[in-house]
């Protein structure tokens, strides 16, 4: 969880475009990010694949006012509302974009070609029908912020006892690299989002990065820390899963804040 999800970039900058806060070219460039190219297939009345600029314009014509995201994981359909085909595709990808109020969703299919250091990344967003129903398990910004703070408070002492932080020099190097990236001023979200959403997303990204570093270190044998018994390792993993789940919920709440505010205004 060191990087922004592609669904998050697309939703954030698509929302900024729909609000008239950025140009189509700027929105597309920021949504594509470090990838080589993004295309969309399956849009209503659009045969074949189209570029992201045309796709966002077409979605606006179709009446899409805002974009949400889903970040599902096995056993946790976060942000999904069905039907089964869309849920399954989103779960396989680990992310998806949902067009608020229009019954459409976009799921990324990623292809990478080329040698290390010169990889070309092509993303095809497949448009699928989405059920118009409340998304699963998505909290409000306030709920997400409180939950993340509570989970961190409740688990920090237990994780410290299990010495999760003592994962060795490689894990500390990864953490230092992540902090350096944050200090270089990586912009979160896009124009039009409330400051609280930016604050919640920044905390969620930081927490998710720490969980990812701890998990990578354990997988590479760099440190279960003091968690040497099977019972201790199981408890450590349970605590990390709780923190990771809260961080994912907070990320979704932050990216969805724009669409949620639009719905409140219409209501």
């Amino acid at each position: 969880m060191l990087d922004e999800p592609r669904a998050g970039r697309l939703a954030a900058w698509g929302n900024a475009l729909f609000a008239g806060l950025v140009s189509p070219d700027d929105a597309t460039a920021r949504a594509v990010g470090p990838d080589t190219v993004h295309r969309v297939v399956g849009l209503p009345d659009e045969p074949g694949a189209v570029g992201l600029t045309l796709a966002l314009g077409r979605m606006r014509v179709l009446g899409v006012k805002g974009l949400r995201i889903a970040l599902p994981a096995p056993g946790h359909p976060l942000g999904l509302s069905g039907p089964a085909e869309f849920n399954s595709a989103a779960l396989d990808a680990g992310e998806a974009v949902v067009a608020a109020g229009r019954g459409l969703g976009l799921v990324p299919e990623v292809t990478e070609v080329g040698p290390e250091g010169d990889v070309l990344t092509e993303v095809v967003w497949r448009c699928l029908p989405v059920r118009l129903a409340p998304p699963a398990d998505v909290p409000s910004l306030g709920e997400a912020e409180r939950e993340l703070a509570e989970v961190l408070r409740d688990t920090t002492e237990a994780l410290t006892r299990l010495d999760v932080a003592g994962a060795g020099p490689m894990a500390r190097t990864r953490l230092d690299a992540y902090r350096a990236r944050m200090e270089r001023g990586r912009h979160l979200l896009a124009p039009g989002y409330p400051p609280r959403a930016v604050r919640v997303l920044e905390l969620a990204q930081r927490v998710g990065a720490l969980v990812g570093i701890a998990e990578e270190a354990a997988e590479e044998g760099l440190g279960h820390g003091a968690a040497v018994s099977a019972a201790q390792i199981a408890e450590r993993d349970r605590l990390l899963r709780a923190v990771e789940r809260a961080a994912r919920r907070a990320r979704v709440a932050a990216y969805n804040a724009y669409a949620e505010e639009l719905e409140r205004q219409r209501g």
Side-chain angles (χ1 to χ4, degrees):
M1 296 183 71
L2 293 176
D3 300 310
E4 273 190 297
R6 289 183 173 90
R9 287 201 309 265
L10 177 54
W13 290 96
N15 284 331
L17 173 62
F18 295 157
L21 299 175
V22 296
S23 70
D25 288 344
D26 285 344
T28 298
R30 297 301 294 267
V32 169
D35 298 328
T36 306
V37 64
H38 284 213
R39 295 180 298 138
V40 180
V41 298
L43 277 172
D45 301 324
E46 287 290 348
V50 299
L52 198 54
T53 302
L54 178 58
L56 288 171
R58 179 62 184 159
M59 292 174 74
R60 184 156 54 178
V61 170
L62 289 170
V64 175
K65 303 298 184 184
L67 301 174
R68 293 189 175 92
I69 75 166
L71 295 178
H76 188 205
L78 177 62
L80 300 179
S81 59
E85 181 185 4
F86 178 76
N87 286 5
S88 177
L91 182 58
D92 287 343
E95 59 180 319
V97 174
V98 177
R102 188 58 180 82
L104 298 175
L106 302 174
V107 178
E109 298 176 357
V110 182
T111 303
E112 294 182 342
V113 296
E116 185 175 354
D118 191 24
V119 175
L120 301 179
T121 304
E122 179 179 353
V123 180
V124 174
W125 293 90
R126 190 165 300 281
C127 185
L128 296 169
V130 171
R131 182 177 299 134
L132 293 175
D137 200 36
V138 177
S140 68
L141 270 178
E143 291 168 343
E145 191 171 30
R146 288 192 298 273
E147 178 189 16
L148 198 51
E150 290 170 1
V151 167
L152 286 173
R153 184 191 64 228
D154 294 344
T155 60
T156 294
E157 182 180 352
L159 289 172
T160 300
R161 287 199 307 270
L162 294 172
D163 194 22
V164 167
M170 188 173 294
R172 288 193 290 274
T173 297
R174 289 171 175 153
L175 180 56
D176 289 343
Y178 173 75
R179 286 171 173 160
R181 287 169 58 187
M182 293 297 291
E183 289 169 1
R184 285 198 295 268
R186 180 166 61 89
H187 296 293
L188 295 176
L189 293 175
Y193 276 83
R196 188 176 199 177
V198 177
R199 183 174 71 246
V200 169
L201 180 59
E202 184 174 24
L203 177 59
Q205 302 247 81
R206 187 162 61 245
V207 170
L210 295 174
V211 171
I213 289 168
E215 290 176 340
E216 287 175 9
E219 289 172 1
E220 295 171 9
L222 298 177
H224 280 294
V228 293
S229 72
Q232 287 174 315
I233 291 172
E235 176 64 6
R236 166 198 175 281
D237 291 345
R238 183 188 69 79
L239 292 169
L240 286 176
R241 283 196 301 273
V243 177
E244 187 275 336
R245 182 186 181 102
R248 270 191 304 113
R249 278 168 48 86
R251 282 178 128 191
V252 171
Y255 281 113
N256 290 3
Y258 177 89
E260 296 293 342
E261 179 60 28
L262 280 181
E263 289 204 355
R264 278 194 294 270
Q265 292 174 5
R266 288 199 296 267

